[in-house]
Amino acid sequence: MFDFKFDWSAEMELGIPILDEQHKEIFRIARNIEQLLIQNCENVKPRDLVNIVCELREFVSYHFYEEERMMEKAGFDRIILKEHKKNHMYFYTYVQQIDLPKMAKDPNGELKILRDNIQDWIFSHMLCEDVTIVKTLKENLTEEELKNGITN
Ligand SMILES: [Fe+2]
């Protein structure tokens, strides 16, 4: 396994401020998980696990919602939009279904699985599929929308 510690780097940027900010936020949550694993989850309480998983769930659903609204406003092809939403739904469903009681019994083992799944999602979706939507978003949305999202 290669050494990936969720450090953000400039080449990961899409050049769309709101999406870059949100992607960075997902990295921040993942680094918190990594931090717990580095400490072998010593002194981790069930409450800490609930907080981190809920934060991830909330942020992922907010981020996907924003990104999909931007894609809709930018007039993406129906099939591309459907496919992109399907990929979001796959990860969204996964984070919603994380078994917290199971994680409380084995925080180290379960957080490792979560960390690996976030990492896989970053590489397969954020750094691959999201790159393919940049051009159309930039061509069809205003500077304001690229910076703040679709506000109305
Ligand atoms: Fe996406």
Side-chain angles (χ1 to χ4, degrees), residues 23 63-64 67 84 88 121 125 130 133:
H23 285 168
H63 168 59
F64 288 164
E67 195 178 286
H84 204 96
H88 284 176
W121 180 76
H125 187 79
D130 282 348
I133 66 172

